[in-house]
Amino acid sequence: MGLITEPNETKTDWKKIRSEFPILDQQVNGHPLVYLDNAATSQKPRPVLDALLRYYERDNSNVHRGIHELSNRSTAAFEGARKRVAQFLNAKSAHEIIFTRGTTESINLVAQAWGSSHLKAGDKILLTEMEHHSNIVPWQLLAERTGAKLSYVPVTGDDGLLDLSRIDSLLADGVKIFSMTHISNTLGTINPVRELCAKARALGVTTLVDAAQSSGHLPVDVREIGCDFLAFSGHKICGPTGIGVLYGREEILNDMPPYQGGGEMISSVDFFKTTWNVIPHKFEAGTPDMAGAVGLHAAMDYLDAIGREAILRHDQQLASHALQRLSEIKGIRLFGPPLDRAASHSERGGLVSFLLPDVHAHDVVTIADQYGVALRGGHHCNQPLMRKLGIQSTSRASFYFYNTLDEVDRMVDVLKKIQKFFTRGI
């Protein structure tokens, strides 16, 4: 498969790691669970579950506002998690890390706080045709408010690559912000975000990277990428739901107005005037998700103990095997970088989208569930991309480091049974 291996990769005990995810040890509809819906949300290892339980049993209290012991502990844990995120992303400072509810809220924060104060009628917002709705709709709302215009970097087709032949002219055409996904949640494409951010920066264009599908699957270094903003969600990297991150360069965050008003984001309030707290607190109105930050900290520790380079290689091995096995199915339509590109590992992450001939994606997922195989079917919050490809939906298998080659084989066997059922009525 052209896999790149490292000398220490054989030391990774993937079987032991898998055993640390209690949810995977169950049967669904009388079959062992095969969970292949990791792009939607990841499962949680025992250390993350233990960290959440320990927090609620020992330290639960509101942060920053109290001076008693439990509040001090909770504040230390919350701010410790912020420092850990900065380390996870190689940010310059913990002040550049804002806690949100997830990737969606992070992008909305930028569109509202930065966009409303920096864009005017006629300015351009550049996106790509493979963006998730959470990286399209906030910009559409901003365009409606300001009179700015949207433009898109096109996708070449089923191979799922960006057509970058006109990227220089697109960026030079009055673009103020370029917001792009790192890894497509439908195509699996790994976009060259470092190169794209460098081109944008040279023209004074602000950049945002949607790292929802990449932050837990490969090393993400915001200084190496050179982005102005980056967003990800905790629940996609083995952390809890309801916690997310927005990274922003310190000088940009200092210049931005608040996103929401309330407690904690203030310095002083009187009846007619309010002054704002320093960053990052200026953007964290109200009681935050303290336990979520604790769980996120534990998840980042867990991933880095394995090594995100090793996770990427493992994910890509599963995806390459899946592409090879799926190609055995007559008439199947595969999306994303093809196998010859996937084998090089430069352009594809650990997910595969496909269409069985004459079988709706929802039917595929419904029947696969009867065999204990959890897939995702639908438009994956990529309706514009689906229309570009001339389809309504796909079936999707998305992998993580606790999945196995045997599970991929089980999925393919089930898909063959589904195809047989629909083509022969058996």
Side-chain angles (χ1 to χ4, degrees):
M1 287 182 247
L3 296 174
I4 300 171
T5 59
E6 298 292 337
N8 64 350
E9 186 174 356
T10 56
K11 298 180 182 179
T12 304
D13 190 343
W14 298 110
K15 185 175 180 180
K16 179 180 183 298
I17 289 170
R18 179 184 172 87
S19 72
E20 294 171 340
F21 290 78
I23 197 171
L24 299 178
D25 185 21
Q26 63 173 295
Q27 291 202 340
V28 172
N29 294 316
H31 299 272
L33 170 64
V34 175
Y35 183 79
L36 301 178
D37 194 20
N38 295 286
T41 197
S42 62
Q43 299 302 341
K44 323 305 174 192
R46 180 61 65 188
V48 171
L49 301 175
D50 289 345
L52 290 168
L53 180 62
R54 185 166 56 249
Y55 173 80
Y56 278 123
E57 285 185 338
R58 296 190 66 254
D59 302 327
N60 181 46
S61 182
N62 213 328
V63 295
H64 302 137
R65 301 163 192 153
I67 55 174
H68 56 79
E69 176 61 19
L70 293 188
S71 181
N72 290 338
R73 286 189 211 160
S74 188
T75 299
F78 185 72
E79 293 303 328
R82 196 190 306 277
K83 292 177 182 177
R84 184 65 179 87
V85 175
Q87 181 188 37
F88 191 71
L89 298 177
N90 194 31
K92 184 176 66 175
S93 166
H95 298 307
E96 297 180 316
I97 304 303
I98 300 165
F99 284 123
T100 65
R101 291 179 298 161
T103 306
T104 299
E105 185 176 45
S106 295
I107 296 172
N108 274 275
L109 191 161
V110 176
Q112 176 67 36
W114 182 90
S116 295
S117 59
H118 285 80
L119 266 68
K120 63 184 184 304
D123 288 340
K124 294 283 186 65
I125 301 164
L126 183 61
L127 310 173
T128 83
E129 290 183 338
M130 64 175 68
E131 298 307 320
H132 189 280
H133 293 168
S134 63
N135 201 26
I136 295 178
V137 178
W139 304 112
Q140 290 177 342
L141 294 172
L142 176 63
E144 291 174 1
R145 291 195 303 268
T146 62
K149 303 296 183 183
L150 297 168
S151 60
Y152 290 86
V153 180
V155 172
T156 55
D158 287 6
D159 64 1
L161 300 175
L162 292 177
D163 179 358
L164 299 177
S165 61
R166 294 180 52 246
I167 187 63
D168 293 326
S169 59
L170 282 171
L171 284 168
D173 187 26
V175 170
K176 298 299 183 183
I177 187 164
F178 182 16
S179 189
M180 71 205 84
T181 187
H182 194 175
I183 300 181
S184 166
N185 72 308
T186 288
L187 302 167
T189 309
I190 302 177
N191 287 319
V193 292
R194 178 181 178 182
E195 292 80 359
L196 294 175
C197 287
K199 286 180 177 293
R201 184 170 60 252
L203 295 170
V205 175
T206 300
T207 53
L208 185 153
V209 173
D210 174 355
Q213 298 296 334
S214 63
S215 56
H217 295 264
L218 52 80
V220 173
D221 184 327
V222 293
R223 284 191 272 186
E224 181 183 13
I225 293 171
C227 55
D228 296 302
F229 298 103
L230 182 139
F232 73 90
S233 300
H235 73 97
K236 294 183 189 289
I237 70 164
C238 298
T241 57
I243 186 74
V245 166
L246 173 67
Y247 156 81
R249 287 198 298 110
E250 186 170 356
E251 53 269 37
I252 295 181
L253 294 179
N254 278 324
D255 187 51
M256 284 166 52
Y259 171 52
Q260 296 175 322
E264 189 59 35
M265 49 76 65
I266 57 87
S267 174
S268 175
V269 179
D270 67 26
F271 286 120
F272 301 101
K273 176 71 175 176
T274 297
T275 56
W276 315 128
N277 204 341
V278 297
I279 63 167
H281 308 295
K282 178 171 67 170
F283 299 103
E284 294 178 354
T287 298
D289 184 359
M290 294 90 68
V294 168
L296 179 61
H297 191 156
M300 292 183 291
D301 285 348
Y302 188 84
L303 295 183
D304 280 346
I306 299 170
R308 279 177 280 171
E309 297 90 347
I311 291 171
L312 176 62
R313 291 193 297 271
H314 187 75
D315 289 353
Q316 290 176 321
Q317 182 185 38
L318 295 173
S320 294
H321 184 64
L323 286 169
Q324 288 182 328
R325 290 297 319 277
L326 287 168
S327 65
E328 300 170 5
I329 300 176
K330 184 178 180 180
I332 195 169
R333 184 176 174 186
L334 298 170
F335 299 89
L339 187 58
D340 59 342
R341 292 180 181 271
S344 74
H345 288 178
S346 62
E347 294 176 332
R348 182 184 271 278
L351 67 87
V352 178
S353 286
F354 57 90
L355 278 178
L356 289 183
D358 302 317
V359 187
H360 195 282
H362 289 166
D363 292 328
V364 170
V365 173
T366 299
I367 299 175
D369 181 61
Q370 298 306 304
Y371 292 92
V373 178
L375 302 172
R376 176 71 49 154
H379 54 65
H380 314 301
C381 292
N382 281 152
Q383 286 181 322
L385 175 63
M386 295 290 162
R387 294 189 185 100
K388 171 71 181 273
L389 298 174
I391 58 177
Q392 292 184 333
S393 61
T394 70
S395 302
R396 183 185 71 190
S398 49
F399 312 109
Y400 214 1
F401 56 87
Y402 42 69
N403 292 126
T404 67
L405 293 172
D406 287 342
E407 288 183 317
V408 174
D409 289 335
R410 274 194 56 200
M411 173 193 72
V412 174
D413 290 342
V414 167
L415 293 175
K416 288 180 177 180
K417 290 178 182 179
I418 294 171
Q419 186 185 44
K420 184 178 180 181
F421 175 82
F422 277 91
T423 58
R424 298 184 184 179
I426 298 176

